[in-house]
Amino acid sequence: VQLQASGGGLVQAGGSLRPSCAASGRISSINTMAWYRQTPGKQRELVAAIRNGGLTNYADSVKGRFTISRDNAKNTAYLQMNGLKPEDTGVYYCNAAIWIEGVLRLYWGQGTQVTVSS
């Protein structure tokens, strides 16, 4: 099983990005998919998560600006990021809890860089 993250980039403050995270391999089903970010000198923090049934939660710092969604048919999660701020800069990692042959396993993608200029 692999998670492939893409869609990061460089934008000006106020701009938008929509990274995606695609899971591939021998997947039975996916429970939760999530996005984390890491900035220099800080611990990796949860940005947004979405459960299989669609329930979502967000970090307070991104509420009202970011929206997480998923396409279960494609085993893909998306993070629509609007109103980007310089403090949103960091490496964004996707994460998924995946059922494989009756066992729930946690996987991480490789990270995608998001840079917001002021």
Side-chain angles (χ1 to χ4, degrees):
V1 174
Q2 289 187 330
L3 290 183
Q4 181 69 42
S6 61
L10 171 64
V11 295
Q12 291 185 333
S16 299
L17 285 171
R18 188 178 185 245
S20 62
C21 173
S24 61
R26 296 180 63 182
I27 298 169
S28 297
S29 64
I30 301 177
N31 191 346
T32 301
M33 300 187 80
W35 287 93
Y36 288 73
R37 70 184 174 197
Q38 189 157 22
T39 54
K42 293 185 178 180
Q43 289 187 331
R44 192 173 295 187
E45 62 173 347
L46 176 67
V47 175
I50 183 167
R51 296 186 181 179
N52 193 19
L55 186 66
T56 59
N57 63 286
Y58 297 91
D60 288 342
S61 60
V62 306
K63 285 180 180 177
R65 299 188 297 123
F66 290 11
T67 302
I68 189 171
S69 61
R70 62 192 283 174
D71 183 334
N72 290 330
K74 296 181 179 180
N75 291 329
T76 300
Y78 306 92
L79 185 66
Q80 179 66 48
M81 305 191 292
N82 298 329
L84 282 161
K85 304 176 181 180
E87 52 263 44
D88 294 318
T89 294
V91 180
Y92 283 68
Y93 296 91
C94 63
N95 162 293
I98 300 174
W99 286 102
I100 300 174
E101 298 179 347
V103 178
L104 189 63
R105 301 180 187 272
L106 194 63
Y107 291 88
W108 289 92
Q110 82 283 13
T112 184
Q113 177 70 44
V114 171
T115 303
V116 185
S117 62
S118 57

